[in-house]
Amino acid sequence: MKTRIEIDTKTFVRFWLVVFAFALAALLLYVARGALVILGVAFFMALALSRPVNKIAKRLPGNSRVGATAVAFIGVVAFIGAIIFLVIPPIIEQSAKLATTIPVWVENAQSQWTVFNGFIDKYNLQPQIDNALNSIRSSAASFAGSAGQGFIAGIGSVLTFVGTSVIVLFIAFFMLVEGPEWMKRVWALYSDRVAMERHKVLANRMYNTVTVFVTGQLTIAAIDGAVAGVGVLLLSLFFTDLPTSLILPIAALSFMMTMIPMFGATIAMLFSIFLIGLNSLPAAIIYAVYFLIYQQVEANVVTPMVQSKANNLTALIILVSVTTGIWMFGLAGGIIAIPIAGCIKILIEEYVARIQRERTRSASRLKLAKEKAS
């Protein structure tokens, strides 16, 4: 038995128009992904600063929101500038030190290999060893010689980053200043007061999810930075070859990277171990053990206490969200991934609750109709 399906021209055209519209929307989103990242970061920055701005505004004459926003942004810019000033110069210094230290390591290793001379002569390995050592020396010299060129080449990327950051700050500034007025206009569009109140509650839940998460993550990052700085300070007291100039950079680096959930603290720890190891290998090993112990305390005590009210996401959802955010939008995506996942969770919960309410009403109406019929 054959079944014949006939589709009229109008339906066929509508179908392909819908497919074309979705494809065009996906293409536009892909082309505008850079701008969307800027807008998303600015939006989350505005949400994170909204509560401090509200508190500052209440203390200013005339409850000036513009003045409160300006005060908050001066603090943010000063903080970011301090982190850059503390992190970049020591990293450049340690990179230069690595380039000059590698040849010394090679010479020491070569002088200590005399015990293997018999083995090397027996199997005629001296030419291969000499080539390997010369290659390491030339690579180190090339690294040292190209450091300045790499620095100059990186100026363009730094300027691009600074320009993007300025745009984000300006957008977030105007979002904070004009946000309350825009929300009033949005709520004024509602003709159904019940729906408006329900959506207000939903928006407030999402707002609390974002602000509580950002505040909690800042708290955890500050604790991580303090623990890292104290650890380097204590090590510098026992290992004289470990410079105290690394204390603030490692603390700032730990704070900055811990803003990325799950991955950030580990990346900061590895980079800190590398910087410490350039000066003292025993100190680097002790620091690794010290920070691994603290990470266990953080995972089991600090994070549950600080972020217990931020969201109820499972570890799998957090891992998938952070990985997707970093893969799609880089560092900024990793930071905002969990708040976005929390907001999506709230929207899904509201959708499921609405369906359940409609089913309950339908069941109640059906039951009432049966009772009337009987």
Side-chain angles (χ1 to χ4, degrees), residues 46-60 63-65 68-69 72 176 180 207 211:
L47 287 178
L49 291 175
S50 59
R51 285 186 175 175
V53 167
N54 292 336
K55 292 180 180 179
I56 295 172
K58 293 178 180 179
R59 299 176 181 273
L60 293 180
N63 295 334
S64 173
R65 190 168 183 83
T69 305
L176 280 168
Y207 169 76
T211 54

Side-chain angles (χ1 to χ4, degrees), residues 16-356:
W16 284 110
L17 283 175
V18 170
V19 172
F20 177 76
F22 273 107
L24 181 61
L27 177 62
L28 291 175
L29 288 175
Y30 177 78
V31 172
R33 64 189 184 279
L36 292 175
V37 171
I38 292 175
L39 292 175
V41 173
F43 178 70
F44 276 94
M45 185 176 182
L47 287 178
L49 291 175
S50 59
R51 285 186 175 175
V53 167
N54 292 336
K55 292 180 180 179
I56 295 172
K58 293 178 180 179
R59 299 176 181 273
L60 293 180
N63 295 334
S64 173
R65 190 168 183 83
V66 176
T69 305
V71 170
F73 269 75
I74 290 172
V76 170
V77 171
F79 181 73
I80 294 174
I83 289 181
I84 293 174
F85 178 78
L86 291 173
V87 172
I88 301 300
I91 290 177
I92 296 175
E93 177 186 349
Q94 294 299 317
S95 299
K97 182 176 181 179
L98 175 64
T100 57
T101 303
I102 287 178
V104 178
W105 289 347
V106 172
E107 295 295 338
N108 292 336
Q110 189 174 14
S111 64
Q112 293 172 6
W113 285 350
T114 54
V115 69
F116 299 105
N117 283 342
F119 178 82
I120 293 172
D121 293 337
K122 181 179 179 180
Y123 293 98
N124 196 26
L125 298 176
Q126 191 61 47
Q128 290 86 344
I129 293 176
D130 291 339
N131 289 334
L133 294 175
N134 290 331
S135 176
I136 294 173
R137 290 194 192 96
S138 62
S139 298
S142 176
F143 175 81
S146 62
Q149 297 177 0
F151 177 76
I152 294 173
I155 290 178
S157 300
V158 172
L159 291 177
T160 301
F161 173 77
V162 171
T164 303
S165 300
V166 170
I167 294 173
V168 169
L169 289 173
F170 271 105
I171 294 175
F173 181 90
F174 287 110
M175 282 182 175
L176 280 168
V177 172
E178 301 180 11
E181 292 300 323
W182 279 104
M183 291 307 301
K184 289 179 182 178
R185 294 172 187 174
V186 170
W187 301 131
L189 296 175
Y190 279 80
S191 57
D192 186 348
R193 187 172 182 81
V194 176
M196 181 189 71
E197 293 298 330
R198 186 172 68 252
H199 290 167
K200 274 188 176 182
V201 172
L202 184 63
N204 190 56
R205 286 181 61 195
M206 296 169 68
Y207 169 76
N208 287 333
T209 295
V210 174
T211 54
V212 170
F213 171 80
V214 172
T215 303
Q217 200 64 27
L218 282 171
T219 303
I220 294 173
I223 296 173
D224 262 38
V227 169
V230 170
V232 179
L233 173 62
L234 294 175
L235 288 173
S236 66
L237 298 177
F238 296 96
F239 297 93
T240 55
D241 50 350
L242 182 62
T244 55
S245 59
L246 284 178
I247 296 173
L248 291 178
I250 288 180
L253 180 68
S254 298
F255 170 83
M256 186 171 56
M257 294 304 300
T258 306
M259 288 299 298
I260 304 176
M262 301 189 76
F263 303 127
T266 302
I267 296 172
M269 180 188 70
L270 294 175
F271 201 81
S272 300
I273 292 171
F274 174 73
L275 291 177
I276 296 172
L278 290 177
N279 299 275
S280 174
L281 185 58
I285 296 173
I286 294 173
Y287 180 85
V289 175
Y290 163 79
F291 213 82
L292 285 172
I293 293 173
Y294 168 71
Q295 281 193 327
Q296 297 303 312
V297 175
E298 179 191 289
N300 295 285
V301 179
V302 178
T303 300
M305 288 177 60
V306 175
Q307 294 285 29
S308 59
K309 298 181 180 179
N311 55 69
N312 294 318
L313 301 177
T314 64
L316 177 61
I317 294 176
I318 292 174
L319 181 61
V320 170
S321 303
V322 175
T323 304
T324 305
I326 292 176
W327 182 75
M328 293 181 65
F329 304 115
L331 178 64
I335 294 174
I336 66 177
I338 294 181
I340 291 177
C343 292
I344 293 174
K345 177 175 179 290
I346 291 173
L347 291 174
I348 294 174
E349 288 175 348
E350 174 63 21
Y351 176 74
V352 172
R354 183 166 61 84
I355 292 177
Q356 290 177 344

